[in-house]
Amino acid sequence: MVDLAPAVAAVRSFNRSYTKVIGVLDEGLLKSPYTLTEVRVLFEVAHAGPDGASVARIREDLGLDAGYLSRILARFDGEGLAVKGRAASDARRGTVALTERGRGVFSGLDERSSEQVAAWLSRLGAGDRGRLVEAMGQIGGLLDFEAGTPSTNGVTLRPPRAGDYGWAVERHGTLYATERAFDETFEADVARIVADYASSHDPEREAFWIADALGRRVGCVACVQRPTDDGVDTAQLRILLVEPTARGLGVGRRLAEECVEFARKAGYQRMMLFTVDGLTAAHKIYRTLGFEITRQAAVEMWGHHLVEQEWQLELG
């Protein structure tokens, strides 16, 4: 049986320190008369649509007792921060919306929260800030936090510079050896792909991107021409990679979207890619962008029995 006690102790110790730093144990969050839970409710209401927030949805999303939430909303109503109503589509469902005063109060809290976080981050250098943001993204990805659409704020895409091609080969080799136990032939294949691009490519119709987050490389992808037998002008998406520390930040999707958009603007009629079974995160991105599997075949490569897949997207 796995001994989880050391890991449990480490997580609890971190939680105690972190809650102290952000002040959630204080009587009022952000030096306000409101608790953490009350501010969370304000946040949910403030970010709802024009018809107001569903009371049932707030209760479900925040895991609150119905009576507790009712008392919070009654306080907001009494202080003129919010008003209750009924959903237009179903009069049985309660809603709540902020008043002008409520929006002002929330805006002040939101601004103070940003200032507080900026003050913490200002103590760190650019590299440490990058590592902190990436670590938080990794925690969210590992624990499957549902935080809506991952944010790519702070992530930039750029052409390769000196050392980037070697980095792409090395990171593919290292990560796939660690995560999928691929042998050295996989790294050799990636090296050939990268070398072919670096030595000769059409800058009008082929491109290579490096994703940077606060000065650190966190991903890459390439778009190249793909000869076909049917005469359809086809682009190929290749070597999509996202560092583990940046997973959950939407970097993979951002790279894939950039690749598809480039192919469209370059006039390609179709885009395709090769991948193998088991790469769940990448496959989710491809499906979201409209790719479909057009061929599958059992193969032996990279030291394993795999299922190779061909995916295609019509760019018309």
Side-chain angles (χ1 to χ4, degrees):
M1 184 175 179
V2 178
D3 181 11
L4 296 177
V8 168
V11 171
R12 292 187 64 188
S13 175
F14 174 84
N15 287 345
R16 286 193 297 271
S17 299
Y18 188 63
T19 52
K20 181 179 179 181
V21 167
I22 64 176
V24 299
L25 301 180
D26 298 341
E27 187 173 344
L29 187 69
L30 297 168
K31 298 181 180 179
S32 76
Y34 304 106
T35 66
L36 171 64
T37 304
E38 289 169 334
V39 173
R40 283 297 310 277
V41 173
L42 273 176
F43 179 91
E44 295 297 325
V45 179
H47 288 82
D51 296 329
S54 163
V55 174
R57 181 63 182 271
I58 294 174
R59 185 172 64 247
E60 179 182 343
D61 287 351
L62 300 186
L64 299 178
D65 174 77
Y68 183 30
L69 177 58
S70 179
R71 290 191 293 274
I72 290 175
L73 296 180
R75 178 185 179 182
F76 290 169
D77 183 63
E79 295 183 2
L81 304 182
V83 291
K84 298 179 182 178
R86 291 291 169 182
S89 58
D90 186 350
R92 296 169 297 177
R93 299 181 66 83
T95 62
V96 59
L98 293 185
T99 63
E100 184 175 351
R101 181 170 186 270
R103 287 192 293 273
V105 168
F106 174 76
S107 178
L109 290 169
D110 195 44
E111 185 175 344
R112 266 181 276 170
S113 179
S114 294
E115 290 173 352
Q116 183 187 64
V117 174
W120 302 333
L121 295 177
S122 66
R123 305 171 191 166
L124 305 175
D128 286 339
R129 285 197 298 272
R131 283 189 287 274
L132 176 64
V133 172
E134 290 170 13
M136 287 181 164
Q138 189 174 18
I139 290 171
L142 289 170
L143 298 181
D144 197 23
F145 288 168
E146 294 184 3
T149 303
S151 172
T152 53
N153 289 340
V155 176
T156 58
L157 305 187
R158 60 169 177 80
R161 296 195 291 255
D164 287 335
Y165 293 127
W167 171 86
V169 174
E170 186 274 330
R171 294 310 293 154
H172 270 85
T174 299
L175 290 179
Y176 278 90
T178 302
E179 299 178 354
R180 297 274 294 183
F182 288 176
D183 65 19
E184 66 278 2
T185 61
F186 172 75
E187 187 171 355
D189 285 344
V190 175
R192 278 189 286 271
I193 293 169
V194 173
D196 287 344
Y197 179 91
S199 61
S200 176
H201 66 273
D202 180 352
E204 297 297 323
R205 309 207 73 207
E206 298 180 302
F208 195 118
W209 295 269
I210 296 292
D212 274 344
L214 297 177
R216 302 184 68 203
R217 291 177 290 214
V218 295
C220 65
V221 74
C223 175
V224 300
Q225 298 185 61
R226 176 75 185 184
T228 62
D229 295 329
D230 59 9
V232 177
D233 197 6
T234 302
Q236 182 175 357
L237 184 153
R238 308 204 79 172
I239 57 172
L240 176 64
L241 177 84
V242 178
E243 286 282 7
T245 54
R247 292 170 188 170
L249 300 179
V251 176
R253 175 164 179 151
R254 173 96 177 269
L255 285 163
E257 286 177 338
E258 187 77 11
C259 198
V260 171
E261 185 61 23
F262 174 86
R264 281 200 174 98
K265 291 180 178 178
Y268 288 105
Q269 298 168 280
R270 175 196 297 155
M271 188 160 217
M272 59 84 64
L273 62 91
F274 288 111
T275 186
V276 294
D277 60 313
L279 303 180
T280 307
H283 294 177
K284 183 178 179 180
I285 292 172
Y286 302 148
R287 287 193 181 92
T288 300
L289 295 179
F291 283 89
E292 295 181 351
I293 298 174
T294 56
R295 184 185 64 83
Q296 298 191 81
V299 295
E300 288 189 30
M301 59 183 182
W302 306 328
H304 292 275
H305 299 286
L306 301 169
V307 175
E308 185 179 52
Q309 301 172 338
E310 180 178 342
W311 296 57
Q312 291 188 6
L313 170 66
E314 299 300 323
L315 299 175

